């Protein structure tokens, strides 16, 4: 066998990686990281890199669930409000009962109820995901403020705080959980029948229905998955802050959607990956951390996040249009 023949599979893999949607994002992450390492002596220290991963855990966990929703061409604007409502009610129950386990169950229960409401409204009532989740965002925020009366909950049981504050073998438990959820999400999307159905529904719901796929059931399931991830993210956030505040996770939905879209998941549906979302989460985490180290105003951080979403959607729109023109030519 010739050397050229032996090397061709490797060359094919390299070319495939370079032509994928993830390659530009990985390149951007590397370029930004290198630039920040020159601009700040602190950036590449082990403590700061650990801080980036820890700070990105909440957005990362929520982004795992959001990836499922967006691949079906849906959207979930209620993720931050769901985290605030579920986290506050769970923390309040844990505080009054002195039982962290009851608090954990309450957080997950409230989150799943919100996700089921979203999924039912979109899948069976046929309402637009944007409008439904925008309305739920407002309702959840209002309920959180009503239940809290603007006051935070402190003195929480250690069981409720453990996921967001504990260390395990020198690593933050929240970071370990984030990696595990990304791994589970990746396997679920790429190696299971359900994952293939998620892509099919996002690519062409009518064709998926004709192929015998329960489109409504798939859509409903993705919103429940997103809510479960939001619940886990709420537990991590409460544990990290050792408190539950009524305004917690405000604006988190913007970062979550940004991470997913920047990672190559198409808002038009049918395309995306957990690996891309992970890179998107890290890119946002690195940018937020770098701007903070450089003492840049937090207002500019929000501007950069919005600009990244705009660029990602713009590139996705151009790519979708190019593929359609190529298919019709």
């Amino acid at each position: 066998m010739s050397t050229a023949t032996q090397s061709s599979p490797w060359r094919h893999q390299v070319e495939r990686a370079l032509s994928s949607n993830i390659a530009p994002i990985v390149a951007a992450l590397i370029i930004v990281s290198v630039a920040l390492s020159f601009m700040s002596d602190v950036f590449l220290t082990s403590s700061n890199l650990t801080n980036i991963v820890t700070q990105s855990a909440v957005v990362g966990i929520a982004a795992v669930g959001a990836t499922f929703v967006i691949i079906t061409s849906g959207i979930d604007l209620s993720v931050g409000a769901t985290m605030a409502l579920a986290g506050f009610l769970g923390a309040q129950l844990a505080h009054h009962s002195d039982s962290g386990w009851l608090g954990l169950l309450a957080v997950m229960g409230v989150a799943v109820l919100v996700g089921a409401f979203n999924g039912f409204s979109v899948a069976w009532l046929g309402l637009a995901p944007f409008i439904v989740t925008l309305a739920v965002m407002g309702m959840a925020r209002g309920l959180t403020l009503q239940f809290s009366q603007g006051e935070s909950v402190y003195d929480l049981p250690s069981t409720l705080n453990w996921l967001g504050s504990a260390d395990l073998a020198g690593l933050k438990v929240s970071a370990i959980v984030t990696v595990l959820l990304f791994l589970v999400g990746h396997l679920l999307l790429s190696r299971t029948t359900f994952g293939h159905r998620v892509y099919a529904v996002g690519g062409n719901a009518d064709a998926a229905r004709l192929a015998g796929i329960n489109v409504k059931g798939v859509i409903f399931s993705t919103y429940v998955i997103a809510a479960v991830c939001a619940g886990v993210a709420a537990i991590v956030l409460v544990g990290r802050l050792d408190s539950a505040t009524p305004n917690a996770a405000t604006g988190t939905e913007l970062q979550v959607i940004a991470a997913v879209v920047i990672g190559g998941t198409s808002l038009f549906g049918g395309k995306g990956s957990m690996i891309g979302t992970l890179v998107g989460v890290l890119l946002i985490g690195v940018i937020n951390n770098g701007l903070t180290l450089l003492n840049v105003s937090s207002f500019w951080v929000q501007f950069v996040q919005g600009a990244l979403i705009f660029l990602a959607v713009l590139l996705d729109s151009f790519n979708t249009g190019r593929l359609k023109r190529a298919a019709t030519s």
Side-chain angles (χ1 to χ4, degrees):
M1 184 179 294
S2 65
T3 304
T5 304
Q6 290 177 338
S7 63
S8 59
W10 291 101
R11 184 172 60 186
H12 175 70
Q13 291 294 329
V14 172
E15 291 174 352
R16 182 179 179 182
L18 291 176
S19 63
S20 69
N21 293 326
I22 302 175
I25 311 302
V26 174
L29 177 60
I30 294 173
I31 292 171
V32 171
S33 299
V34 171
L36 288 174
S37 67
F38 283 106
M39 299 170 70
S40 173
D41 296 334
V42 181
F43 179 76
L44 282 183
T45 60
S46 58
S47 59
N48 186 61
L49 294 178
T50 301
N51 184 53
I52 291 174
V53 175
T54 303
Q55 295 294 327
S56 300
V58 171
V59 173
I61 292 170
V64 171
T67 303
F68 285 89
V69 171
I70 295 179
I71 288 178
T72 64
S73 72
I75 197 75
D76 188 358
L77 300 175
S78 66
V79 58
T82 300
M83 290 168 54
L85 178 62
F88 182 83
L89 291 179
Q92 193 173 52
L93 178 60
H95 175 75
H96 290 298
S97 66
D98 198 28
S99 173
W101 292 109
L102 281 178
L104 292 172
L105 290 175
V107 173
M108 298 308 300
V110 172
V112 169
L113 285 175
V114 174
F117 182 84
N118 285 337
F120 177 80
S121 300
V122 174
W124 274 281
L125 298 184
L127 303 179
F130 181 90
I131 300 301
V132 168
T133 57
L134 180 64
V136 171
M137 178 178 71
M139 290 189 289
R141 284 291 177 191
L143 286 174
T144 306
L145 292 172
Q146 176 62 36
F147 289 135
S148 68
Q149 293 295 306
E151 297 183 358
S152 301
V153 178
Y154 302 96
D155 299 324
L156 302 177
S158 58
T159 307
L160 186 61
N161 287 338
W162 184 80
L163 195 63
S165 61
D167 294 336
L168 187 64
L171 299 173
K172 286 291 184 181
V173 173
S174 58
I176 297 173
V177 171
T178 304
V179 173
L180 289 176
L181 284 177
F182 267 105
L183 179 59
V184 171
H186 172 70
L187 294 176
L188 194 58
L189 271 180
S190 62
R191 301 294 178 88
T192 67
T193 302
F194 174 75
H196 296 157
R197 289 174 178 174
V198 169
Y199 282 108
V201 170
N204 191 322
D206 292 332
R209 189 177 295 107
L210 293 174
I213 296 175
N214 183 358
V215 173
K216 293 181 179 179
V218 170
I219 292 175
F220 177 83
S221 299
T222 60
Y223 282 94
V224 172
I225 290 172
V228 169
C229 291
V232 176
I235 294 172
V236 170
L237 182 60
V238 168
R240 194 172 73 193
L241 299 177
D242 191 20
S243 64
T245 61
N247 292 320
T250 300
T252 299
E253 57 277 345
L254 175 63
Q255 296 184 56
V256 169
I257 294 172
V260 177
V261 175
I262 289 170
T265 299
S266 174
L267 286 171
F268 299 99
K271 183 178 67 176
S273 70
M274 283 297 163
I275 297 176
T277 297
L278 177 59
V279 178
V281 169
L282 292 175
L283 179 59
I284 289 179
V286 165
I287 291 175
N288 289 346
N289 177 265
L291 294 179
T292 300
L293 292 178
L294 297 175
N295 294 319
V296 176
S297 168
S298 60
F299 300 124
W300 282 112
V301 174
Q302 294 183 10
F303 173 83
V304 170
Q305 291 174 359
L308 287 173
I309 295 178
F310 177 80
L311 290 175
V313 173
L314 183 64
L315 292 174
D316 182 40
S317 179
F318 282 150
N319 186 50
T320 301
R322 180 181 58 83
L323 292 176
K324 288 182 177 180
R325 288 191 296 271
T328 56
S329 62

